[in-house]
Amino acid sequence: MMSHEVAKLINEQINKEFYSAYLYLDMANFYSERDLDGFANYFRIQAMEERDHAMKFLDYLAENNEAISLEAIAKPEADRSSLMAPLVQALKHEEFVTASIHNIYSAAIEAADYRSQRFLGWFIDEQGEEEASARALIAKMELFGDENAKGGLYLLNQELAARSYSPAE
């Protein structure tokens, strides 16, 4: 049986995941406005993945006969100060989400909620991938994608345009 605290934290995580989707859509809009459709594609796909994560959490609560409480989603505030700024913000946001999931996992350990621990393991692995992906994109941007390196920025934009959406398992 899921503890009240674990259920509460998962409900809060649903909101955080939907907020993440909004934030990444805002970042996609930022890049679209600058005709960087590859970067926009990257963040649109990130938004879809975050929505999928929210739904996984929602479905998990439903499968465990727990009440689902959908709260208002805050307006996203993407950092639009440079082409690099949203990338750095995305990494920081992923680190925030990782910490939140670790907090839920800790609560599941404390409550001896083994089913939730197993369920959360997928998210822990996923967050490792998300952070690595964000770091790699920042590194590529630092190497050849800033506003002064037009050719490199073009190639990086093309690489990101090739990314396709694959629903979460």
Side-chain angles (χ1 to χ4, degrees):
M1 178 154 248
M2 189 180 302
S3 78
H4 174 72
E5 182 64 14
V6 170
K8 176 181 150 293
L9 291 171
I10 290 175
N11 264 304
E12 291 171 4
Q13 190 65 34
I14 291 168
N15 185 275
K16 290 173 186 173
E17 299 291 340
F18 279 128
Y19 173 80
S20 298
Y22 270 36
L23 178 64
Y24 291 148
L25 283 175
D26 197 33
M27 291 175 179
N29 292 337
F30 167 77
Y31 288 112
S32 286
E33 292 165 3
R34 283 146 189 83
D35 296 321
L36 291 168
D37 294 336
F39 283 83
N41 178 60
Y42 176 87
F43 280 107
R44 279 189 201 106
I45 290 171
Q46 286 299 112
M48 288 186 273
E49 289 181 358
E50 300 303 337
R51 180 205 58 215
D52 288 351
H53 296 168
M55 294 305 297
K56 281 179 81 92
F57 279 114
L58 190 145
D59 290 344
Y60 181 72
L61 287 179
E63 290 164 6
N64 285 280
N65 203 32
E66 292 292 334
I68 297 165
S69 175
L70 299 176
E71 302 295 329
I73 300 169
K75 180 181 178 189
E77 298 292 338
D79 185 345
R80 295 171 170 250
S81 60
S82 69
L83 294 179
M84 176 66 89
L87 306 182
V88 172
Q89 183 183 12
L91 174 58
K92 288 180 183 173
H93 184 72
E94 289 299 337
E95 291 169 343
F96 164 77
V97 170
T98 298
S100 180
I101 290 170
H102 287 177
N103 185 49
I104 302 168
Y105 193 85
S106 293
I109 289 172
E110 187 175 315
D113 182 345
Y114 303 112
R115 183 182 306 154
S116 292
Q117 289 174 46
R118 184 170 180 203
F119 170 75
L120 292 165
W122 182 90
F123 287 97
I124 291 168
D125 293 343
E126 176 70 9
Q127 284 307 119
E129 292 172 16
E130 294 290 348
E131 288 182 24
S133 175
R135 281 190 199 94
L137 184 51
I138 289 168
K140 288 178 182 180
M141 187 71 156
E142 287 173 341
L143 283 173
F144 57 83
D146 70 18
E147 286 98 311
N148 299 318
K150 302 275 189 233
L153 184 60
Y154 174 80
L155 291 174
L156 183 53
N157 189 60
Q158 292 302 315
E159 177 184 323
L160 297 175
R163 183 179 188 210
S164 62
Y165 171 68
S166 178
E169 297 174 11

